[in-house]
Amino acid sequence: MSFGGFIGGGSSGGGGGDAGLMMADNLYSTIPTSALAHTQPHMVSPPPMKPKMEGAGDMGLIGENFGPGDADKSKEEEYESRSGSDNIEGASGDDQDTQGDKASSSGRKKYHRHTPFQIQELEASFKENPHPDEKARLELGRRLNLESKQVKFWFQNRRTQMKTQMERHENNMLKQENDKLRIENIAMKEAMRNPVCSNCGGAAALGEISIEEHHLRIENARLRDELSRICGLANKFLGRPLSSLASPIAPGNSDLELAVGRNAFAALSSVGTPVPMGLDFTSAVTNPLPILPTIRSSMGMTSFDVSIDKSMYLELAVAAMDELLKLAQIDNPLWFRSLDGFSEALNLEEYNRVFPPCVGTKPSNFITEATKATGTVIINSTSLVEILMDPNRWTELFSCMIGRASTIDVVTDGTGGTRNGALQLMHAEFQVLSPLVPVREVKFLRFCKQHAEGFWAVVDVSVDSIRGGPSAQIFSDCRRLPSGCIVQDMPNGYAKVIWVEHMEYDDSNVHQSYRPLLRSGLGFGAQKWVATLERQCECLAVITSSTVPGGDHGVISPSGRRSIAKLAQRMTHNFCAGVCATVYKWEVVQVGNADEAKLVMRKSMGNPGEPPGVVLSATSTVWMPVSEQRLFDFLRNEQTRSQWDVLSHDGAMQQMFHIAKGQDLGNSISLLRSSATSPNSNQNGMLILQETSTDVSGSLIVYAAVDIPAMNVVMSGGDSSCVVLLPSGFSIVPDCYPDSAGPNSSSGNFGKEATAGGGSNGCLLTVGFQILVNSLPASKLTLESIDTVNALIGRTLQGIRSALECS
């Protein structure tokens, strides 16, 4: 209890503040005897209580403003905890002594209580600006009928009160935190009394090690294991051990077994796999792979799942690259030569013994398709790698095999401005041009690495097993095991390509007519990829050459040839999309089978290069008892075209020009017109643009009616993207049956004997038409249109059979 207020009221005339600072042993010597006579021992009368202001509630007496020096420390603390609703007339600064003398002489201080309206206005002003300047205080005092000093003291007291409340709140928070820590400390001490080993589950003795040191050791072990794994993976990317960063640590000796990469492909861990040498280590360190910082960030909690996925992608890609390199070795005992002599088939028994499952165990209903082929292409390794890593250019190069492709995520772009070390997550739809073979939809990683100068490798591997379990598999009908190509530059400007294709798929949805073809590898196998790559690279070299081939007689300029080739490429791509119902949004009208055509429709909104309206695509596959080459020569011959083509109007077709795409005469682009049409007639006339392609895996004939004025623009080198066309055509593949009896052979043998060229003289013919049935996109498809399209396919097939004398 403070005596300052009592002593200040004596007759000594001294300031109350000075009396409040006296020591206890000198206290009674300064008090008058008359005052002591009327004072009870050990009792001091408190200052008189002031009544509450009506309507002010509990805050009515809070924050009364006293003049400086009129109250001791305890009173100041008491008043600081109150609201600034009361104010005493007082002064500060130079007027302090004068006001103190007046207060002493008066004997009793004069209090001033603010009205509720004044308090409300002051509180509102305080919320807007707790530190008003002199001008603001004068304006507020004038409006509330208060002096500037009164306003000043009220704001001072209000700020003090706010500070006190905040400190009290912080103290409460710190007290709660302290209680929480105390409880945790008790729990940790309780846990330390009976420690349990995380490895064996038994009792563990910590000895004299503190809990902090124990946690540090655990964290250190985890970081050491993580660093070791990252260095091992970086070795695979950079081609040289990172000895300057960390020493290699065997995974089995690690203190902790992290979850990163410990799944079905853990047996192919990159730490224990030999590292190919010969890469430029300096450039790799100067431009580190972006994946490595991402993996290191997984040590924290930010984007933890994403970082774990990327590290698992990295380990899976490295394991797939190692497997591809081993499978691509020359004279590898894992392969045996197939009967056609063009490709090699995988020895599955030996493969399963050498390689652990890279993407998990094969489902029981899946069959394996694994082939290897070698070829030579007119392109250098760097250009081919750029095409393979670009999904759009990759789709254009293999338009007959890929419906559409896209890049889902780019894990890393590579190092040194090249594709070396590039890793990306992709999605693709692989197709065979027939309604009897479903499209294979695959989500996979594509990893590119340069092993030496002019020596590249690109590998694909499915990622369905990354998150584990069949329920995590996005596409369950097929999966891509380590597959890809090895590209090595040759001195003559060519490149040698070794292609390995390894897939597992469910063939229950594949029609039995196509199962021998797929198992032979001519549908999705390595020989199909290599044959298509050789043909397309040769076509690209011829079309882009400034030298006009001798067979073209210089009719079309080089720019015109390139423009026509671009138009033909778009025509072929649209035909394949119609046969397999990819790229566009197709609606199934008629499911189709071996006896009837498959019908799908889409609504075209008149985009550049296609007419507006309802487009109906009809496709049908039949077996023909003739060789593939004979059927191909018959269908591409303009002299016999009138026997099956309704656009020829039963007349012979004339070839206006011919553009060769390679040494094989079957690879060409030609423009045809009916002999009934005058060569000089440019009005209401129609021409037929036709592209033919052939290789060991099959043949393709695609054609479409085009306007004469539009073709004149294209032939002069103009833009071909606005030429409207709806393509039709034929796809021919060998049937791969063991004899000439066809798919209805009594033997029913579709096993190992059903190889390419295995003795069958038959082939599988797929015919496809795209027809504009209505020029209004909002119109509905009628039964009459469906009957017309079915009749067109039937009439076309009947004409081909009759001309070739087939039953």
Side-chain angles (χ1 to χ4, degrees):
M1 179 177 295
S2 175
F3 295 90
F6 178 80
I7 297 173
S11 60
S12 61
D18 296 336
L21 296 176
M22 292 182 181
M23 299 298 292
D25 55 347
N26 298 327
L27 179 62
Y28 289 94
S29 62
T30 60
I31 301 176
T33 307
S34 59
L36 290 175
H38 299 283
T39 303
Q40 297 293 332
H42 309 290
M43 296 293 293
V44 178
S45 299
M49 298 295 294
K50 301 184 68 175
K52 291 186 179 180
M53 179 182 294
E54 183 179 359
D58 295 336
M59 302 295 291
L61 298 177
I62 298 178
E64 295 184 6
N65 197 342
F66 294 88
D70 296 329
D72 61 1
K73 183 177 181 181
S74 71
K75 287 190 176 182
E76 288 179 359
E77 292 176 353
E78 176 183 351
Y79 291 136
E80 284 177 355
S81 64
R82 301 177 181 179
S83 171
S85 59
D86 298 335
N87 199 335
I88 186 172
E89 293 182 9
S92 60
D94 298 334
D95 298 335
Q96 182 176 0
D97 296 337
T98 305
Q99 294 292 337
D101 295 339
K102 291 181 179 180
S104 300
S105 61
S106 61
R108 182 178 180 85
K109 296 180 175 57
K110 183 180 179 181
Y111 291 86
H112 175 78
R113 184 180 299 278
H114 297 317
T115 65
F117 174 74
Q118 291 174 336
I119 295 174
Q120 182 179 359
E121 292 297 319
L122 289 170
E123 290 286 354
S125 301
F126 183 81
K127 292 180 180 180
E128 295 180 358
N129 183 16
H131 296 275
D133 55 9
E134 182 66 25
K135 182 179 179 181
R137 291 197 300 269
L138 289 174
E139 175 63 22
L140 185 60
R142 184 189 61 78
R143 183 157 51 89
L144 300 179
N145 195 21
L146 294 174
E147 295 182 2
S148 176
K149 292 183 179 180
Q150 290 178 301
V151 176
K152 176 180 178 181
F153 291 144
W154 188 93
F155 273 86
Q156 288 178 351
N157 293 341
R158 190 66 179 88
R159 289 193 298 268
T160 303
Q161 178 203 16
M162 182 69 69
K163 180 180 178 181
T164 303
Q165 291 175 350
M166 293 182 63
E167 290 178 351
R168 185 181 296 111
H169 177 72
E170 291 178 359
N171 290 337
N172 292 334
M173 295 296 296
L174 292 175
K175 182 179 180 181
Q176 295 177 5
E177 185 69 19
N178 187 29
D179 294 339
K180 182 180 178 181
L181 293 176
R182 186 182 297 108
I183 294 174
E184 291 181 357
N185 189 20
I186 294 174
M188 293 177 64
K189 289 181 178 179
E190 196 68 27
M192 290 177 61
R193 294 178 181 177
N194 300 306
V196 178
C197 179
S198 58
N199 296 326
C200 63
L206 298 180
E208 300 298 328
I209 300 178
S210 63
I211 187 66
E212 293 81 4
E213 185 176 355
H214 179 63
H215 288 168
L216 289 176
R217 289 189 178 187
I218 295 177
E219 182 69 12
N220 188 29
R222 188 180 70 84
L223 295 177
R224 188 185 303 111
D225 184 79
E226 182 78 1
L227 179 61
S228 174
R229 294 174 57 80
I230 292 175
C231 291
L233 295 175
N235 293 345
K236 290 299 178 181
F237 267 78
L238 305 178
R240 182 173 178 179
L242 296 179
S243 57
S244 60
L245 295 181
S247 58
I249 302 175
N253 296 331
S254 176
D255 295 308
L256 292 178
E257 184 70 13
L258 297 183
V260 182
R262 301 308 186 192
N263 51 15
F265 50 84
L268 292 177
S269 175
S270 58
V271 178
T273 309
V275 179
M277 305 299 288
L279 297 183
D280 185 3
F281 177 74
T282 304
S283 62
V285 174
T286 306
N287 301 280
L289 296 178
I291 185 65
L292 296 182
T294 304
I295 296 178
R296 285 195 293 268
S297 66
S298 66
M299 299 176 186
M301 298 304 294
T302 303
S303 303
F304 183 78
D305 292 337
V306 176
S307 301
I308 291 296
D309 283 346
K310 289 191 175 183
S311 64
M312 296 171 73
Y313 290 159
L314 177 58
E315 184 171 350
L316 178 59
V318 171
M321 178 64 72
D322 291 341
E323 181 172 327
L324 176 66
L325 294 176
K326 294 177 182 178
L327 291 176
Q329 293 178 3
I330 306 299
D331 299 329
N332 196 319
L334 292 169
W335 302 94
F336 57 86
R337 182 70 59 177
S338 60
L339 298 179
D340 63 351
F342 180 72
S343 63
E344 298 177 70
L346 183 63
N347 187 340
L348 296 180
E349 183 178 352
E350 184 68 16
Y351 171 81
N352 294 329
R353 188 185 65 83
V354 175
F355 297 100
C358 188
V359 293
T361 306
K362 182 180 74 172
S364 58
N365 60 329
F366 278 25
I367 66 172
T368 302
E369 174 188 311
T371 54
K372 183 176 76 170
T374 304
T376 304
V377 295
I378 312 176
I379 193 173
N380 60 66
S381 60
T382 304
S383 300
L384 180 56
V385 165
E386 289 293 334
I387 294 176
L388 295 178
M389 299 303 293
D390 186 338
N392 295 327
R393 298 173 65 185
W394 180 48
T395 304
E396 292 178 358
L397 187 64
F398 299 97
S399 59
C400 299
M401 303 181 63
I402 305 172
R404 52 186 165 189
S406 61
T407 300
I408 301 175
D409 184 23
V410 177
V411 182
T412 174
D413 288 325
T415 59
T418 67
R419 293 288 187 175
N420 181 28
L423 177 63
Q424 54 194 32
L425 182 63
M426 301 182 65
H427 166 264
E429 296 179 357
F430 301 100
Q431 62 190 13
V432 170
L433 298 182
S434 173
L436 303 181
V437 182
V439 175
R440 294 182 179 180
E441 200 171 356
V442 184
K443 180 182 178 182
F444 60 95
L445 289 172
R446 174 158 291 181
F447 178 38
C448 177
K449 184 178 179 182
Q450 183 181 14
H451 295 274
E453 185 67 25
F455 186 82
W456 292 79
V458 179
V459 66
D460 299 343
V461 61
S462 291
V463 295
D464 295 341
S465 63
I466 284 293
R467 294 190 179 274
S471 61
Q473 296 185 4
I474 301 177
F475 311 113
S476 58
D477 57 345
C478 73
R479 57 183 189 174
R480 194 169 175 83
L481 277 71
S483 306
C485 61
I486 310 295
V487 187
Q488 184 176 9
D489 286 335
M490 301 176 65
N492 57 356
Y494 286 64
K496 180 181 179 181
V497 177
I498 301 177
W499 202 289
V500 175
E501 195 66 24
H502 191 183
M503 297 191 74
E504 294 176 345
Y505 64 96
D506 181 10
D507 69 340
S508 61
N509 297 326
V510 179
H511 193 272
Q512 62 178 0
S513 300
Y514 271 87
R515 291 178 184 176
L517 175 73
L518 299 185
R519 295 180 183 181
S520 69
L522 292 178
F524 296 101
Q527 52 269 59
K528 176 70 174 179
W529 289 96
V530 172
T532 304
L533 179 62
E534 290 178 334
R535 173 170 51 81
Q536 290 289 79
C537 290
E538 184 182 22
C539 172
L540 182 64
V542 173
I543 295 299
T544 57
S545 175
S546 59
T547 304
V548 180
D552 294 345
H553 305 292
V555 177
I556 307 299
S557 64
S559 61
R561 293 205 318 272
R562 288 191 291 269
S563 183
I564 293 173
K566 188 175 182 180
L567 177 61
Q569 182 186 38
R570 177 164 66 90
M571 177 180 66
T572 301
H573 179 70
N574 290 347
F575 170 75
C576 298
V579 172
C580 300
T582 57
V583 181
Y584 303 103
K585 185 178 180 180
W586 296 92
E587 180 182 349
V588 178
V589 178
Q590 183 174 292
V591 177
N593 49 42
D595 300 324
E596 64 179 4
K598 179 180 180 179
L599 303 181
V600 294
M601 60 165 288
R602 66 181 178 92
K603 295 182 178 181
S604 173
M605 306 307 296
N607 296 327
E610 59 182 26
V614 178
V615 178
L616 183 63
S617 175
T619 56
S620 180
T621 299
V622 296
W623 177 77
M624 299 292 293
V626 295
S627 66
E628 173 198 350
Q629 188 63 42
R630 181 186 174 189
L631 182 59
F632 176 69
D633 293 338
F634 168 76
L635 293 176
R636 71 185 182 92
N637 189 352
E638 65 273 8
Q639 300 300 324
T640 60
R641 191 182 187 95
S642 59
Q643 300 182 38
W644 58 267
D645 188 10
V646 296
L647 296 178
S648 63
H649 305 288
D650 297 330
M653 302 293 291
Q654 295 180 357
Q655 181 174 280
M656 297 184 61
F657 67 79
H658 171 90
I659 299 178
K661 299 191 301 179
Q663 297 180 357
D664 194 318
L665 298 178
N667 296 318
S668 64
I669 303 173
S670 56
L671 187 65
L672 309 176
R673 67 177 176 86
S674 175
S675 59
T677 305
S678 174
N680 298 325
S681 177
N682 293 332
Q683 296 180 354
N684 300 326
M686 295 297 294
L687 302 176
I688 296 179
L689 179 67
Q690 177 175 284
E691 181 180 25
T692 60
S693 305
T694 183
D695 54 48
V696 68
S697 64
S699 303
L700 187 65
I701 302 171
V702 183
Y703 61 93
V706 293
D707 291 329
I708 294 179
M711 283 306 302
N712 288 332
V713 175
V714 176
M715 292 169 61
S716 62
D719 184 16
S720 64
S721 61
C722 296
V723 178
V724 177
L725 49 80
L726 287 176
S728 302
F730 305 93
S731 173
I732 311 171
V733 294
D735 58 9
C736 298
Y737 297 136
D739 50 50
S740 59
N744 297 322
S745 172
S746 59
S747 63
N749 189 349
F750 302 107
K752 295 183 179 179
E753 296 178 5
T755 55
S760 173
N761 293 323
C763 62
L764 296 171
L765 171 65
T766 298
V767 55
F769 291 101
Q770 292 189 34
I771 303 173
L772 184 68
V773 297
N774 198 306
S775 59
L776 298 177
S779 61
K780 295 183 179 180
L781 187 65
T782 62
L783 293 176
E784 182 181 359
S785 300
I786 296 177
D787 294 338
T788 301
V789 172
N790 285 328
L792 175 61
I793 289 183
R795 187 164 58 250
T796 301
L797 292 175
Q798 183 60 35
I800 296 173
R801 289 192 180 101
S802 299
L804 297 176
E805 300 179 351
C806 299
S807 58

